Each structure stands twice: as structure tokens, then as C-alpha cells.
Amino acid sequence: MKSFEWTNPKTIDEAVKLLRVGTPPADIDEAPRPIAGGQDLLTTMKDYTSRPARLVNLKNIRGLDRIVLNARGLTIGALVTLTELEEHAGVRKSFPGLAEAAHSIATPQIRNLGTVGGNLCQRPRCWYFRLEEVNCLKKGGSECYAATGENKYNAIIGGGPSWIVHPSDLAPMLVALGARVNVTGSSGKRVISLDKFFTLPTENIRRENVLQNEEIITEIFVPASPLASRSTYLKFKERESLDFALASVAAAVELAPNRSVRSARIVLGGVAPIPWRVPAAEAYLTGKTLNPDVLAEAGKIALAEAKPLEKNAYKVPLTQTLVRRALAKSAGV
Ligand SMILES: Cc1cc2nc3c(=O)[nH]c(=O)nc-3n(C[C@H](O)[C@H](O)[C@H](O)COP(=O)(O)OP(=O)(O)OC[C@H]3O[C@@H](n4cnc5c(N)ncnc54)[C@H](O)[C@@H]3O)c2cc1C
């Protein structure tokens, strides 16, 4: 690990100042970084994927660790831990998919330390990206080795020129629920809809979201909606004990009194460089009564854009199945 300066700001403004450097470093991965639970950042520092000259500890900033639930919706401070989110009685009742997504992450030990803000900003898990000896495209190199190499875990949708998949389990669910993030940086505050937060490799090969280096997520807001109480998160992983998603589906369905679908949200995880919403499948479901044929067709439509690599075609039927099951669970059919 490269040596670094450790700083302990007490306020957001102080943290933003510490993140801002006069002359940006030649390599973006050497810029100062905020650190929350450290469950991802420290591992990327140990394998030199990131080499920040300064860490800005967010844990002493007051007010970022609260969950507030009211008629407008759910406000989650960026420092709320995954355990706190998963165990919150109001979240479990009114946003069950979000509690399920939090519960699906890693191990109790990691969830006790990992925060919601850090989970959304964690770096991809592609083994070429994480391997110290490999200078892949995302690290400033010239090639995505996954494209023709060991690509079992990589993207089947939206890939190229890098085929990473987004690793966060909270992200697909939060996108499905129409969440937005409050961000503070040196130019002030801004609110970003989560469906505009994550970026494809075609937009910025070195980063996975729109945050500037000195910007900090302070809160995540999830609006109350009839969809939220029927939300669900299904994840398929290789190891039951702990693992990232081979594929996952965040689904939410609002039913009319006759039990036809009034509206639906479907967001795929583990298959694309960003949480992948599938509006065509959502539109197909509107007005329909869910039965096995409709569910199977929704699964097919959701994966219509898939272009698997040599070793990950298995993700297509896997994700179709998860779409079917998530919709059925969400609608209670
Ligand atoms: C063995 C293992 C298994 C895991 N399995 C899963 C899994 O199944 N699903 C899953 O979703 N995740 C998984 N994770 C990832 C884990 O959930 C995240 O590492 C954790 O949530 C990150 O939170 P943190 O507070 O520790 O972030 P940190 O490590 O402190 O930070 C992570 C990144 O976010 C940035 N950051 C942190 N907070 C903010 C903020 N408020 N504003 C802006 N940037 C910020 C940091 O600069 C850094 O780049 C796993 C991790 C490990 C080690």
C-alpha cells in the first residue's frame, strides 16, 4: 500500500476542502478519497488499484448516520451501515426490497462496517481490474482483458469498451425505487437522480459514476410510492455464504384492484456496467394480469439486449428466471 495522509474533518465543508487539491494528480486514482467503512477502499489500496495521497475520514461528521422515514419517503444518511438499513423495522415494512438487498450483501461483519454511501461508490470487482500486475483499460491501460479472456463474471448487456459489472446490490433496488442522492462538493450542493448517477464505460472509462473527486454523498432519498411496499430483490450467487451477484433483479409491482399490473419496475444487477433498467419489459407488463406466460415473456423482453461474451451466456437464462421469480414474488402470485 502506498503511504497516505489521514485526515479527520468534523464537517462536510471541511471534508470537501480536504478532497480538493490545487493541481489534480496526473492519475485520477491518486486523488484524495473519502473513506467511510473502508471495506472496499482499503482493499483497492492494498492492491494499488487506488493510490490516494490523502484519505478523508467521513466517520466524524455528525448527522450522516440517520434513517428518517415519514410520509414523503425514506432518507438514508450516507454513513448508515448496511446492517442498520437491513434491520430497520420501517424499511423492512415499507421498502422490503431494500432490506432484502442490504441483507444479501457480503457477511454480517462487512455489513456492520460498510455504509450505504460506500456501497454505491465501491469499485468494480473484475479480477483483471483488481489484479495489481494488470494494467487494464479501466486503470489507464490499453485493453479490457475480460473481452476475450476469463469473462465468466462480466457484462452481457451494455459492455464495451470495458465489460465490468456494477457490484452494488443496493444500487439496482434504489434505482427501481426512484431514489436520488444528495451530494455536496466545492461548487455547492446538488441532487442527482440515481438513474443518472451511474455511468457506462463509454462515458468515462476510469469512473463508474458522475461524482467529481471532491464531491461527497450526504444522503439518499427514496420517495414513498405504492411500488415500494411491493418491492423485492432476488440475487443469485456462486457461494451461498457470501458473494457478489452473478445476476440479480430488483422488482417492484403496483397492482390495480382487479390485480392487473398498474406499473412495474425491473432493474437488473450483476449483468451490466450500471444497474440496468428494462423499460420495454415494464411497459409490456402494464395492464396485464401476471400468469406464467406473461412472466416468461417479461423475462425474455428484459434480456432481449443481451450480447454475452464467450463464457457468460449462462447469465441470460439465469437472469430471465430471476426476472420471472422476482415479479411473481413482488405481485404475490
Ligand atoms: C468480501 C467482500 C464481499 C462483498 N460482497 C458484496 C456484495 O455481495 N454486494 C455488495 O453490494 N457489496 C459487497 N461488498 C462490498 C461492500 O458492501 C462495500 O465494500 C461496502 O458497502 C463499502 O462501504 P464502505 O463504507 O466500507 O466504503 P469505503 O470502502 O469506505 O468506500 C468505498 C468507495 O466509496 C467512496 N465513498 C465512501 N463513502 C462515500 C460518500 N459518502 N460519498 C462519496 N464517496 C464515498 C470511497 O472513496 C471509496 O471509493 C463486499 C466487500 C467485501 C470485502
Side-chain angles (χ1 to χ4, degrees):
M1 187 188 278
K2 193 181 150 223
S3 63
F4 56 88
E5 178 194 1
W6 178 266
T7 59
N8 266 319
K10 296 275 185 309
T11 65
I12 306 265
D13 288 348
E14 214 185 309
V16 169
K17 279 195 193 118
L18 286 163
L19 287 169
R20 203 174 171 195
V21 280
T23 315
D27 190 314
I28 189 171
D29 287 322
E30 292 176 1
R33 292 297 308 156
I35 181 162
Q39 296 301 291
D40 185 49
L41 185 54
L42 293 176
T43 57
T44 62
M45 287 171 67
K46 284 180 192 166
D47 60 23
Y48 290 87
T49 306
S50 65
R51 302 164 302 282
R54 176 187 287 162
L55 290 186
V56 179
N57 178 22
L58 302 181
K59 289 283 215 185
N60 293 318
I61 301 174
R62 291 167 65 119
L64 298 186
D65 57 355
R66 287 195 282 257
I67 298 181
V68 179
L69 181 58
N70 58 31
R72 284 180 52 243
L74 173 69
T75 304
I76 311 163
L79 290 181
V80 166
T81 66
L82 301 168
T83 300
E84 286 162 346
L85 185 66
E86 166 196 359
E87 292 183 350
H88 190 278
V91 174
R92 291 169 89 118
K93 180 164 181 282
S94 306
F95 300 84
L98 198 50
E100 288 165 15
H103 179 69
S104 79
I105 295 169
T107 60
Q109 292 87 342
I110 291 168
R111 296 198 294 275
N112 285 343
L113 286 170
T115 65
V116 173
N119 185 267
L120 294 178
C121 297
Q122 63 177 300
R123 306 300 312 276
R125 286 276 157 180
C126 176
W127 45 31
Y128 295 108
F129 176 68
R130 294 269 169 168
L131 200 63
E132 188 183 333
E133 293 77 13
V134 177
N135 189 28
C136 76
L137 199 54
K138 275 199 72 62
K139 293 198 277 195
S142 58
E143 201 177 326
C144 172
Y145 297 98
T148 53
E150 292 302 327
N151 48 38
K152 172 179 174 185
Y153 300 117
N154 292 82
I156 55 169
I157 308 178
S162 149
W163 271 265
I164 57 147
V165 294
H166 200 273
S168 162
D169 283 304
L170 291 186
M173 197 68 245
L174 286 169
V175 170
L177 294 173
R180 44 191 192 260
V181 287
N182 290 358
V183 167
T184 302
S186 53
S187 331
K189 298 182 181 189
R190 60 180 180 139
V191 180
I192 309 167
S193 170
L194 212 60
D195 62 359
K196 306 237 167 8
F197 180 77
F198 300 104
T199 50
L200 283 168
T202 43
E203 295 165 65
N204 181 355
I205 194 74
R206 301 295 301 278
R207 283 285 177 263
E208 296 81 46
N209 59 57
V210 297
L211 285 186
Q212 301 296 312
N213 274 348
E214 79 284 1
E215 283 187 315
I216 296 170
I217 296 179
T218 54
E219 284 176 348
I220 297 95
F221 177 71
V222 194
S225 84
L227 285 164
S229 59
R230 282 192 174 272
S231 58
T232 195
Y233 187 73
L234 290 190
K235 167 177 173 181
F236 191 89
K237 49 192 177 180
E238 225 168 18
R239 289 175 297 183
E240 259 314 300
S241 54
L242 86 151
D243 223 335
F244 289 86
L246 290 180
S248 68
V249 174
V253 176
E254 182 189 355
L255 296 177
N258 68 358
R259 296 196 61 78
S260 65
V261 173
R262 188 171 272 159
S263 68
R265 293 277 171 85
I266 306 170
V267 181
L268 312 180
V271 293
I274 57 173
W276 197 265
R277 190 166 167 195
V278 278
E282 295 171 358
Y284 164 76
L285 288 168
T286 306
K288 300 223 168 34
T289 303
L290 295 184
N291 61 40
D293 290 340
V294 168
L295 291 170
E297 187 60 19
K300 270 190 205 152
I301 296 171
L303 272 295
E305 293 174 89
K307 290 192 185 76
L309 299 165
E310 190 190 347
K311 294 174 181 161
N312 64 10
Y314 73 94
K315 285 195 180 192
V316 175
L318 174 62
T319 315
Q320 285 172 338
T321 303
L322 289 177
V323 169
R324 244 175 34 226
R325 290 185 185 172
L327 287 169
K329 182 167 174 242
S330 173
V333 296

